[in-house]
Amino acid sequence: MNKPYENDPATIFIAQQIKALSHRKSQADIATQAGFSNANMMTMLKQGKNKIPLDRVPSLASALECDPAYLMRLAMQQSVGATAARAIIDILREPISNNERSILAEVRDVTCDTDPRLTAKSRNALRQVFAK
């Protein structure tokens, strides 16, 4: 199996980001910005031949212009598996992306920072907003 991570969410995300940035950055540019000495590393990541090195997540996120917390979640699942990643997150707490941080700030603002409980009504309203 020469593409063990081919259908992995991290692989799919990296391929999407590379495509989205292709009008401004080459894969070689992204690899260099991420600190990879081999420019082919981006091809290997987007094709699912290699998993994301956890120590490269911050620089790779910067090069891919994405949130490092989100990329770390994907990389952890890819690296140690979904069950182990969940255990790590349960212990160390969920990394919060910048987008999630903005949503939380808005909730705090609209509720005057009163730490409201998630009720069935508020849960349903959130699900409607986020179409789930």
Side-chain angles (χ1 to χ4, degrees):
M1 181 181 257
N2 63 355
K3 294 182 181 178
Y5 308 102
E6 184 174 18
N7 296 314
D8 188 88
T11 301
I12 294 165
F13 178 75
I14 286 175
Q16 289 171 341
Q17 286 301 109
I18 290 171
K19 184 177 180 179
L21 295 171
S22 65
H23 68 285
R24 293 190 290 118
K25 293 182 180 183
S26 69
Q27 285 186 198
D29 293 335
I30 294 169
T32 299
Q33 290 174 359
F36 294 119
S37 57
N38 181 355
N40 289 334
M41 186 61 170
M42 295 314 303
T43 298
M44 292 185 276
L45 288 173
K46 83 173 188 179
Q47 291 179 351
K49 292 180 179 180
N50 286 55
K51 60 185 173 184
I52 302 169
L54 295 177
D55 63 333
R56 296 293 178 157
V57 168
S59 59
L60 182 58
S62 178
L64 290 173
E65 299 179 16
C66 67
D67 191 278
Y70 180 70
L71 187 60
M72 179 59 86
R73 286 197 308 256
L74 293 175
M76 282 187 358
Q77 289 174 6
Q78 187 182 58
S79 183
V80 300
T83 304
R86 175 75 349 220
I88 292 168
I89 289 170
D90 285 348
I91 293 166
L92 299 177
R93 299 291 174 229
E94 184 89 28
I96 299 174
S97 72
N98 288 333
N99 291 336
E100 293 165 331
R101 195 171 284 112
S102 296
I103 292 167
L104 178 58
E106 194 63 31
V107 167
R108 287 180 176 166
D109 182 54
V110 84
T111 64
C112 299
D113 206 10
T114 58
D115 192 29
R117 290 195 175 276
L118 183 63
T119 63
K121 183 178 178 181
S122 60
R123 170 179 252 154
N124 287 336
L126 284 170
R127 288 182 173 269
Q128 285 181 346
V129 167
F130 294 106
K132 185 168 181 184

